[in-house]
Amino acid sequence: MRLLIIEDEKDVCAFIAKGMKEAGHIVDVAATGKDGLFLATTESYDVMIVDRMLPELDGLTIIRTLRGAGVKTPALILSALGEVDDRIMGLRAGGDDYLVKPFSFAELLVRVEVLQRRMASPAHETQTQLSAGDLRLDLLTRKVVRGGQEIELQAREFRLLEYMMRHKGQVVTRTMLLENVWDYNFDPQTNVIDVHISRLRGKVDKGFDTALIRTVRGAGYVIDDHV
Ligand code: CA
């Protein structure tokens, strides 16, 4: 899986990163809250490990900000503070698990794997229907329906919507869309994505009370069950 570690203590960070790599995972690290938040919103991860006390932005603020932006990447909070109140605060902020330092690597690994399994859709491989709110996309019939109304999409719009729905609740960046929907190499000057997103919105969201496709400023787009 792809992991993000946000931890300012170099030794702890290196220890976790080394262990996770040895366990076969791909690891990105950030040493400040600001860098961590940037990575968490611009890249896509299966699980994040977030230290509570960090320079610039603390761990709880990072998680609260991400949840507010619709990013649902499971987060395990690391903390030197083991009081019950701190645990509650961490979970209230949108954290999914909480581990007190010092911890054993074996326990951290197990907890991270549990978080990933909980998030991964068990039927992913055989899934033929994707949904976001009242929007349904059928991969077999290639029909898109919202609120009982069929929506006609061009092939590219269908692929774009499918990619976003497969990453529901996660910010998809322009780079991700270019690589996965257009098979282009990254060209930051192109506005092809914005044009297609705008068209897709016109078909999927126009005339409905709830907009499912949202822009995350400076990061990309996210499709969600609700806003
Ligand atoms: Ca710290």
Side-chain angles (χ1 to χ4, degrees), residues 7-9 51-55 78 101:
E7 166 65 89
D8 61 316
E9 280 171 71
D51 187 31
R52 167 117 196 249
M53 306 288 274
L54 290 163
L78 284 181
K101 291 176 185 175

Side-chain angles (χ1 to χ4, degrees), residues 4 6 29-40 56-57:
L4 174 63
I6 313 175
V29 298
T32 69
K34 235 170 135 182
D35 288 352
L37 182 61
F38 177 77
L39 282 175
E56 294 170 0
L57 275 177

Side-chain angles (χ1 to χ4, degrees), residues 15-222:
F15 165 72
I16 301 171
K18 184 169 176 277
M20 289 298 173
K21 283 178 191 163
E22 282 168 2
H25 302 304
I26 298 160
V27 179
D28 279 350
V29 298
T32 69
K34 235 170 135 182
D35 288 352
L37 182 61
F38 177 77
L39 282 175
T41 48
T42 51
E43 302 285 328
S44 165
Y45 297 99
D46 297 301
V47 177
M48 321 181 260
I49 298 169
V50 184
D51 187 31
R52 167 117 196 249
M53 306 288 274
L54 290 163
E56 294 170 0
L57 275 177
D58 70 275
L60 299 189
T61 306
I62 292 173
I63 293 168
R64 220 175 278 124
T65 307
L66 289 171
R67 298 301 181 246
V71 179
K72 296 199 177 96
T73 313
L76 182 142
I77 300 163
L78 284 181
S79 176
L81 311 164
E83 300 296 323
V84 173
D85 282 357
D86 288 305
R87 258 174 217 269
I88 292 169
M89 271 172 69
L91 299 174
R92 278 224 179 107
D96 300 278
D97 200 0
Y98 195 99
L99 193 56
V100 175
K101 291 176 185 175
F103 54 86
S104 83
F105 181 78
E107 185 178 3
L108 176 67
L109 182 61
V110 168
R111 283 173 181 254
V112 163
E113 286 173 350
V114 166
L115 284 183
Q116 187 220 3
R117 272 203 298 277
R118 209 193 287 163
M119 190 68 177
S121 156
H124 187 74
E125 294 306 322
T126 53
Q127 198 171 25
T128 60
Q129 277 227 354
L130 302 173
S131 73
D134 55 353
L135 180 69
R136 302 277 176 277
L137 182 148
D138 192 309
L139 295 164
L140 296 179
T141 63
R142 301 188 70 80
K143 268 190 186 173
V144 177
V145 175
R146 184 165 184 194
Q149 204 178 310
E150 195 175 337
I151 297 168
E152 297 280 343
L153 295 182
Q154 306 278 336
R156 184 77 72 187
E157 293 162 356
F158 186 92
R159 254 178 101 182
L160 176 60
L161 184 62
E162 179 190 342
Y163 185 81
M164 292 186 75
M165 288 175 86
R166 282 190 189 277
H167 294 83
K168 184 168 76 176
Q170 298 172 23
V171 176
V172 295
T173 65
R174 286 183 174 76
T175 310
M176 285 162 75
L177 292 173
L178 275 175
E179 285 174 359
N180 293 288
V181 179
W182 275 267
D183 305 321
Y184 284 178
N185 289 319
F186 181 53
D187 172 9
Q189 300 307 319
T190 181
N191 72 344
V192 64
I193 290 170
D194 307 76
V195 170
H196 277 80
I197 289 276
S198 156
R199 256 188 237 155
L200 192 58
R201 277 182 161 144
K203 295 184 177 182
V204 166
D205 280 336
K206 206 176 166 190
F208 290 92
D209 290 339
T210 309
L212 298 171
I213 301 170
R214 283 186 299 124
T215 304
V216 180
R217 269 184 77 180
Y221 302 97
V222 63

